Amino acid sequence: MKLLDGKELSLELQKEIAAEVAAHIADGGRKPHLAAVLIGNNPASKSYVGHKVKACAKAGFVSSLVERSEDITQEELLTIVKDLNEDESVDGFIIQLPLPSHIDDQAVIKAVKPSKDVDGFHPENVGRMALNLPTFLPATPGGIMTLLERNGVKTSGMHAVVIGRSDIVGNPMTSLLSRNSDPGNCTVTQCHSRTVDLKSHTLKADLLIAAVGRPHFITADMVKDGAVVVDVGINSIADASRKSGMRLTGDVDFENVAEKCSLITPVPGGVGPMTIATLLQNTLRARLASTS
Ligand code: NDP
């Protein structure tokens, strides 16, 4: 078994991005600017945004944070989006999900200017991705594709099983793996909570992508010998040995599944850092596109 090390690769990508930023500045350009909109006090959202801001600084980006309380109105949030769309100093921005339940998140996502939608969630960008046209790939599945590519995983002809059908992970992952590209060219089965006999599907997976949000959901008896396993899950579980009393773990029972795999991502240190690196790549592309 070999680790698909997203932490190490993300550091390499951050260096590559920093070098491109330096070259752009030497050419008379300016630092890319990523803005993040954070609504409410969700600790996980705060932590994700914190990581993104730190990564921006490391790569030589400008970052800014627009923070508002949980009771923001839809109209107020749409005004923030409009201002960011019009602000020429901002190259790309993200609206950290989930949004409070009284907000229509699709209406907010649709209001983002597609050329600044570095999360790749706007319907126009989702459509471009489905048609294999140049666009911003959603950061998590985009990062997984890079992780597979840079580790030389030959996905062509593989039977991939994706568990999950969210708009941010499962659906775009299915689309990217099935398209005629490298990595890609997989035969994809997409599973979800209504799938009958999930194990009969996962056992056929040469490439298994778990994006369920349930700790240790994928057990060793569900995995084929020699499979490549990508664990997207980020779950917080109790751990009395930690000062915080909690630790992060994935959707895969890593200890037992790892023995059966040819390659596997750890949690933390697998998909998470790749997500952030991809967001930076998207923002850099937005900056370069606005100058061309
Ligand atoms: P969602 O809750 O939106 O989607 C979970 C999916 O899992 C749904 O499609 C659901 O099916 C499916 N599911 C739930 N229970 C089962 C079951 N028993 N059998 C089969 N399928 C099931 O989550 P996300 O896609 O947003 O995120 C998934 C995980 O990835 C989470 O842990 C999240 O924290 C993590 N994540 C990690 C990121 C990273 O950077 N590493 C980025 C984004 C997310 P149904 O549609 O039928 O409800």
Side-chain angles (χ1 to χ4, degrees):
M1 180 278 294
K2 193 178 152 234
L3 272 190
L4 278 172
D5 189 336
K7 192 171 172 193
E8 190 181 284
L9 179 55
S10 74
L11 293 174
E12 243 174 73
L13 295 174
Q14 277 180 24
K15 277 190 202 150
E16 291 172 16
I17 293 166
E20 271 196 74
V21 171
H24 175 63
I25 291 170
D27 263 3
R30 62 161 171 78
K31 292 180 176 188
H33 179 175
L34 174 71
V37 180
L38 176 63
I39 307 297
N41 278 316
N42 181 330
S45 294
K46 280 198 162 191
S47 155
Y48 295 148
V49 167
H51 283 123
K52 289 167 189 172
V53 168
K54 254 197 219 158
C56 277
K58 270 198 196 156
F61 286 29
V62 175
S63 64
S64 52
L65 181 60
V66 181
E67 266 189 285
R68 294 290 184 276
S69 60
E70 188 88 18
D71 59 0
I72 189 168
T73 65
Q74 170 113 352
E75 211 182 346
E76 283 164 338
L77 183 50
L78 288 172
T79 303
I80 291 172
V81 170
K82 184 170 175 285
D83 290 347
L84 289 168
N85 283 340
E86 288 170 1
D87 184 342
E88 287 185 6
S89 77
V90 171
D91 298 300
F93 64 100
I94 58 166
I95 298 150
Q96 186 64 46
L97 301 175
L99 290 171
S101 55
H102 65 278
I103 304 277
D104 174 356
D105 49 6
Q106 281 306 320
V108 175
I109 289 167
K110 241 167 77 182
V112 176
K113 196 172 171 180
S115 61
K116 292 192 177 191
D117 168 41
V118 287
D119 257 340
F121 294 164
H122 188 283
E124 184 178 314
N125 288 330
V126 174
R128 292 183 68 85
M129 178 194 65
L131 294 170
N132 205 354
L133 296 171
T135 187
F136 301 117
L137 295 184
T140 301
I144 293 170
M145 295 300 272
T146 308
L147 192 60
L148 295 171
E149 184 187 5
R150 293 285 191 108
N151 280 279
V153 180
K154 297 284 164 235
T155 59
S156 180
M158 277 186 169
H159 183 188
V161 173
V162 176
I163 315 177
R165 56 177 166 184
S166 69
D167 291 338
I168 63 169
V169 188
N171 284 343
M173 197 71 249
T174 298
S175 173
L176 292 174
L177 287 172
S178 61
R179 73 187 189 183
N180 184 355
S181 63
D182 180 23
N185 281 318
C186 293
T187 303
V188 187
T189 301
Q190 188 176 24
C191 301
H192 44 74
S193 68
R194 310 292 174 91
T195 298
V196 175
D197 193 5
L198 180 69
K199 184 174 161 181
S200 69
H201 297 287
T202 58
L203 275 173
K204 290 188 197 133
D206 304 308
L207 171 59
L208 180 62
I209 313 276
V212 188
R214 293 177 65 172
H216 305 167
F217 179 75
I218 301 294
T219 47
D221 60 314
M222 298 170 80
V223 178
K224 178 170 151 178
D225 279 327
V228 176
V229 174
V230 175
D231 188 352
V232 184
I234 301 180
N235 309 291
S236 190
I237 59 166
D239 182 345
S241 71
R242 301 284 173 104
K243 208 170 146 193
S244 62
M246 307 295 287
R247 76 179 159 93
L248 292 182
T249 193
D251 287 347
V252 175
D253 175 13
F254 184 90
E255 297 283 301
N256 297 307
V257 171
E259 290 170 13
K260 297 187 81 177
C261 301
S262 55
L263 289 163
I264 185 167
T265 57
V267 177
V271 175
M274 291 303 298
T275 297
I276 294 182
T278 307
L279 178 65
L280 296 183
Q281 284 177 324
N282 284 349
T283 307
L284 174 59
R285 283 199 38 223
R287 167 90 284 268
L288 299 179
S290 69
T291 58
S292 60

